[in-house]
Amino acid sequence: MFGRVNNVMGVEDVPLVAIADAVGTPAYVYSQGAIEDRYRRLARALGGGRARICYAVKANANLAILGLMRELGAGFDIVSAGELQRVLRAGGAAGDVVFSGVGKSVAEIDFALKVGIHCFNVESEAELERLESRARLLSRVAPVSVRVNPDVDAGTHPYISTGRRENKFGVPEGTALGMYRHAAASDALQVRGIDCHIGSQVRELGPYAAACERLLGVVDTLAAEGVPVDHVDLGGGFAVPDDGEPGLDVEAYGQEVAAAVFDRGLELIVEPGRYLVAQAGVLLTRVEYLKRATREGQRNFAVVDAAMNDFLRPALYKARHPVKAVEANDAAPLRWDVVGPVCETGDFLATDRDLALTEGALLAVFGAGAYGMVLSSNYNGRGRAPEVLVSDGDFRVVRRRETVGDQLALEGEGR
Ligand code: LLP
């Protein structure tokens, strides 16, 4: 969807320069067509409608993106009442929502019980106890799945690995069995499924297959005890290509992992975030200053108007996102570090990139559709960037640029 026409980089035939001129920089730009393509490809790979795709809202929670997911037929994986409010505001149905996360508060549980979500993905015995007592108090029956920590190595960055025994997520299989027995005997709880999420940016099938096998083992034990589950939720984490490494082969996932769930006559739920939106987004930024090295050991810095507060992934995970100049120019290529205005050495968008740059040049940071805007902050007093959605050869602002007024509004008059 992103490409060059007559040496001008555009998205779905809309020149990125036109978007930057209209909304300024920095700005996030998303391609609706790219999201639709990804969703349909995944749905096809997972048996054409046999799996329930619950989009992980945390990856990109813009209302327009959530509305698009709903239109495509997605459900939603949420981790807070705030995300649930967003889903409902975007026209999503509570009945299509699964609720993950280790720290659900009483208020969040009550809200989710009242609107009637599809399933609580319970992460601890203490949470199950709280859920049961809140459901009883509100005269509801809480649909539950227990998040099993399958202790598999997803082979990903330690900060985004979640399925090892040392991680805070889920419970061991033995604990899960006890929780299911308790739930099956409770009039306030209804056993619905079993779930796991082993990590993010997972490239290999092996960890998924191993996790799935572990969950199906628990399913078998439960079935033998007369406690059936309806669904197996294998979480998200499907990698997209980056840094020269390939993404997860979702067709193979469909054939080798999803099929094992279907073969049992169970429903499969997946919770992809990044896979659906990462490559559908770019961050547009403009070069403010070029600071060339003048002595040995110095580096060449391109100081741009986007910073770590806008896009944190490079600083936080050393993530390497492709950066390209949107318009061709005749500057001599040089090796640059692309850095922001924030007062932190870790404030970089890219390091060691061979680019032809001029001051004022417009750059696009690729792969910024997931965990971009959602991780942004007001650090250094910077307003959050606007978000733009491109569809059918046109674009519209789906979140305006944050102003200083927006930031100050929450603090009244100060002292
Ligand atoms: N389900 C659960 C329970 C999760 O915790 C996550 C992500 C997902 C689904 C979606 O994972 P995905 O398909 O997007 O990989 N900020 C990090 C990623 C953190 C992911 C946390 N959990 C990053 O920028 O790489």
Side-chain angles (χ1 to χ4, degrees):
M1 293 293 165
F2 292 91
R4 265 183 204 279
V5 185
N6 300 332
N7 248 341
V8 182
M9 195 183 290
V11 49
E12 298 187 32
D13 296 334
V14 179
L16 289 173
V17 176
I19 298 175
D21 285 347
V23 305
T25 52
Y28 279 99
V29 179
Y30 310 127
S31 157
Q32 175 167 327
I35 295 172
E36 289 168 346
D37 282 359
R38 294 297 274 187
Y39 185 89
R40 294 195 178 116
R41 178 171 166 194
L42 184 61
R44 257 197 318 276
L46 301 180
R50 288 177 77 191
R52 191 189 278 244
I53 298 174
C54 288
Y55 169 63
V57 173
K58 63 168 77 68
N60 186 326
N62 184 281
L63 291 178
I65 303 286
L66 299 182
L68 174 59
M69 293 295 175
R70 173 181 55 76
E71 280 166 28
L72 288 168
F76 299 92
D77 167 52
I78 59 150
V79 289
S80 71
E83 287 189 350
L84 180 49
Q85 293 273 21
R86 282 185 169 270
V87 168
L88 298 176
R89 174 74 72 90
D96 291 329
V97 169
V98 297
F99 192 170
S100 302
V102 292
K104 303 176 190 78
S105 69
V106 166
E108 288 179 320
I109 287 174
D110 286 1
F111 178 46
L113 280 171
K114 283 178 192 157
V115 298
I117 64 165
H118 181 65
C119 197
F120 288 85
N121 289 353
V122 177
E123 302 239 12
S124 64
E125 290 172 294
E127 182 191 331
L128 190 67
E129 223 171 89
R130 177 181 281 182
L131 181 59
E132 183 179 22
S133 75
R134 296 313 299 178
R136 190 161 286 136
L137 205 78
L138 298 172
S139 307
R140 311 279 159 133
V141 176
V144 297
S145 163
V146 176
R147 178 165 176 178
V148 171
N149 182 326
D151 193 25
V152 300
D153 184 356
T156 186
H157 189 286
Y159 285 8
I160 52 176
S161 162
T162 50
R164 307 293 308 273
R165 69 175 74 186
E166 64 265 32
N167 299 137
K168 69 179 175 181
F169 302 98
V171 296
E173 286 136 284
T175 310
L177 284 172
M179 291 165 68
Y180 278 113
R181 289 177 190 127
H182 179 84
S186 167
D187 56 355
L189 300 171
Q190 186 199 3
V191 172
R192 190 155 276 175
I194 184 165
D195 66 284
C196 70
H197 171 76
I198 58 174
S200 204
Q201 192 60 353
V202 182
R203 297 181 201 282
E204 304 289 333
L205 280 186
Y208 283 114
C212 185
E213 203 179 299
R214 295 222 145 187
L215 263 56
L216 290 175
V218 177
V219 168
D220 289 342
T221 308
L222 289 172
E225 295 181 19
V227 183
V229 304
D230 302 331
H231 74 243
V232 175
D233 175 348
L234 293 176
F238 308 160
V240 297
D242 75 351
D243 210 4
E245 299 278 333
L248 181 79
D249 180 344
V250 292
E251 283 75 24
Y253 178 98
Q255 280 157 22
E256 290 171 37
V257 185
V261 177
F262 298 145
D263 288 350
R264 305 287 186 103
L266 296 168
E267 187 188 22
L268 172 68
I269 294 181
V270 290
E271 304 168 355
R274 188 188 324 263
Y275 179 85
L276 296 175
V277 291
Q279 292 164 303
V282 296
L283 174 63
L284 292 181
T285 181
R286 230 177 245 293
V287 175
E288 294 278 8
Y289 303 103
L290 293 177
K291 241 181 121 169
R292 291 186 181 81
T294 51
R295 59 181 174 189
E296 189 64 25
Q298 266 187 312
R299 303 176 69 84
N300 297 309
F301 293 108
V303 184
V304 299
D305 62 6
M308 65 190 293
N309 78 293
D310 299 299
F311 192 51
L312 187 59
R313 300 197 75 252
L316 192 58
Y317 309 113
K318 295 206 172 76
R320 274 182 76 85
H321 288 260
V323 176
K324 289 184 188 159
V326 169
E327 296 166 291
N329 64 62
D330 46 23
L334 214 60
R335 182 151 297 183
W336 296 99
D337 285 359
V338 181
V339 302
V342 159
C343 301
E344 297 266 359
T345 301
D347 178 28
F348 57 86
L349 298 180
T351 53
D352 289 317
R353 304 300 170 90
D354 294 324
L355 291 164
L357 295 182
T358 56
E359 285 184 0
L362 184 64
L363 306 184
V365 181
F366 287 82
Y371 305 108
M373 184 64 184
V374 285
L375 280 169
S376 65
S377 77
N378 292 127
Y379 190 38
N380 278 205
R382 293 166 55 84
R384 285 182 176 78
E387 293 175 289
V388 172
L389 184 64
V390 177
S391 63
D392 300 327
D394 209 350
F395 67 92
R396 68 191 167 99
V397 176
V398 291
R399 179 181 160 114
R400 67 164 170 81
R401 187 180 302 285
E402 201 174 28
T403 63
V404 177
D406 292 330
Q407 290 185 55
L408 294 181
L410 297 178
E411 294 168 47
E413 295 303 311
R415 264 162 59 80

